[in-house]
Amino acid sequence: MINESKLRVAQVGVGGFGRRRRESMRRTGLFELVAAYDWNQEALAECEKEDGAKPVANYEELISTPGIEAVIISSGAKYHAEQMLVAMNLGLHVFVEKPLCSTKSELKTIISAIKKSGVVVGMGHHDHRSNARSSTVRQMIERGDFGSIASFEATTAHSGGLEIKPGDWRGDPEKNPGGMLFHCGTHLMHELMFYFGPVAEVYSSMRYDLHPTQTSDVAHCILTFSSGVTGVLSAYHVTPYRSTLNIYGTKMNLYFEAGGYGIPDKIVTQLRKVGCELEPQIPLTLDQIGDPDGNIRSFYETIKGRGKPSPSLADGVRAVEIVFAAEESSRIHRPVKIQFSL
């Protein structure tokens, strides 16, 4: 008989994005948050009030909480690898926000540890299988609505790089490789691979002189997929917010711009006409209802013996490996082929 009880979890990082993760877990009704750790005492107090989680003094105390089955890691990316490894060594399942880890050596250690531990690892990328827009776009591609895909343009930008202070790990190239490409570009990489398959090669150029840190302020990546699709992903860490994805085909184009901060998303199509007339843009109606909590829900379902996590550890691995390759390409001024570890 399937056990439908709530999963008892502990969480590190409960303010900021961790607050959104707590909200997501509450919406599913599948989790019991029993303990929490955060350096921000106000965030800890808020978590205790909203979720009933017991505040603890450090990560070691958190993962030693009696009866927990999994750890939710919503801390900064600098800490992901170390916190994952400690939890997995105790046999705890792990759900970790993106990006998975900061360095190639961390990645190698994580992959080795997961093979030995056998625990479930879920990733905090969007679950595009349960996202109404992503699922619709993928169906359009598979039906041939675009004709032949000519290219794509993807952009992710915000001004967080200008707020990096001396000593902040986000200014450390060892812990924040690629700047915005690492923080948010990994989201777009994961989405692009959902549409076009694995990336075969990256050719990148980066700029580092707009803010006095050692991390990338601007990154332009030409991505070539095994399917033959080639396009550009651009990431800016020093400009106002923007998130867009345009797909260009021989029959149709699609333009998406994320609203954010209370502004609705915009998604339109443009059908090719014969001749040189300017084709009108047509709003795309999504005929599906998405699940914004699909990633954490699939983590629960996998632990309960149903299905596989989506996104998976492999999805997290592939996204950061492209970042590492992009930094190498920018340094050597040549394309770098991608050999995925998983």
Side-chain angles (χ1 to χ4, degrees), residues 44-189:
L44 265 184
E46 178 186 79
C47 178
E48 182 179 23
K49 180 180 179 180
E50 293 178 346
D51 297 291
K54 175 186 174 184
V56 299
N58 51 56
Y59 186 69
E60 290 71 22
E61 184 179 351
L62 181 78
I63 59 175
S64 298
T65 303
I68 61 170
E69 302 166 80
V71 175
I72 311 299
I73 299 177
S74 299
S75 54
K78 171 183 178 179
Y79 308 102
H80 287 178
E82 180 181 357
Q83 291 172 344
M84 286 182 68
L85 292 169
V86 174
M88 289 191 292
N89 285 338
L90 292 177
L92 296 170
H93 303 297
V94 173
F95 184 92
V96 60
E97 307 296 351
K98 64 82 194 167
L100 175 63
C101 61
S102 300
T103 68
K104 291 181 180 180
S105 61
E106 288 178 347
L107 184 61
K108 183 177 179 180
T109 304
I110 287 172
I111 292 172
S112 176
I114 188 65
K115 290 178 178 178
K116 292 178 182 177
S117 69
V119 300
V120 173
V121 176
M123 283 296 310
H125 289 286
H126 297 307
D127 178 16
H128 292 289
R129 299 182 312 173
S130 61
N131 179 279
R133 173 179 60 84
S134 303
S135 297
T136 298
V137 172
R138 180 161 163 167
Q139 288 175 7
M140 293 166 67
I141 293 172
E142 291 173 345
R143 285 198 306 259
D145 294 0
F146 290 91
S148 296
I149 302 291
S151 192
F152 67 84
E153 297 169 347
T155 302
T156 181
H158 71 57
S159 59
L162 294 174
E163 300 172 13
I164 296 174
K165 302 294 191 298
D168 189 332
W169 68 266
R170 292 174 179 82
D172 180 353
E174 286 296 314
K175 294 300 180 182
N176 187 18
M180 188 64 173
L181 188 65
F182 180 63
H183 277 291
C184 294
T186 47
H187 265 318
L188 274 172
M189 291 169 190

Side-chain angles (χ1 to χ4, degrees), residues 145-316:
D145 294 0
F146 290 91
S148 296
I149 302 291
S151 192
F152 67 84
E153 297 169 347
T155 302
T156 181
H158 71 57
S159 59
L162 294 174
E163 300 172 13
I164 296 174
K165 302 294 191 298
D168 189 332
W169 68 266
R170 292 174 179 82
D172 180 353
E174 286 296 314
K175 294 300 180 182
N176 187 18
M180 188 64 173
L181 188 65
F182 180 63
H183 277 291
C184 294
T186 47
H187 265 318
L188 274 172
M189 291 169 190
H190 175 56
E191 181 176 355
L192 292 168
M193 286 187 282
F194 180 72
Y195 300 142
F196 307 130
V199 175
E201 184 179 88
V202 58
Y203 188 22
S204 175
S205 177
M206 298 186 184
R207 184 176 177 182
Y208 298 84
D209 61 331
L210 296 172
H211 186 265
T213 70
Q214 296 179 326
T215 59
S216 169
D217 300 316
V218 173
H220 295 294
C221 302
I222 299 175
L223 300 175
T224 301
F225 291 75
S226 298
S227 60
V229 173
T230 298
V232 179
L233 189 160
S234 298
Y236 312 126
H237 214 189
V238 290
T239 73
Y241 171 84
R242 195 171 191 220
S243 179
T244 66
L245 173 60
N246 301 329
I247 299 176
Y248 301 100
T250 55
K251 291 182 179 179
M252 181 179 69
N253 293 347
L254 180 143
Y255 312 122
F256 168 75
E257 181 162 7
Y261 306 100
I263 300 173
D265 294 346
K266 177 183 177 182
I267 183 167
V268 299
T269 58
Q270 190 176 37
L271 296 173
R272 174 182 174 272
K273 287 185 176 180
V274 178
C276 297
E277 295 183 59
L278 179 63
E279 298 94 339
Q281 294 184 0
I282 305 166
L284 179 65
T285 301
L286 305 179
D287 56 2
Q288 303 178 48
I289 298 175
D291 178 7
D293 310 311
N295 51 12
I296 195 73
R297 192 186 304 278
S298 81
F299 177 64
Y300 172 91
E301 293 290 338
T302 305
I303 293 171
K304 296 298 182 179
R306 302 185 290 270
K308 296 180 180 180
S310 179
S312 65
L313 175 68
D315 294 317

Side-chain angles (χ1 to χ4, degrees), residues 307-339:
K308 296 180 180 180
S310 179
S312 65
L313 175 68
D315 294 317
V317 167
R318 290 176 177 182
V320 294
E321 284 189 316
I322 298 170
V323 173
F324 301 153
E327 280 232 313
E328 179 183 354
S329 173
S330 179
R331 185 175 63 253
I332 66 176
H333 307 293
R334 292 197 304 271
V336 173
K337 294 189 180 299
I338 309 290
Q339 296 292 334

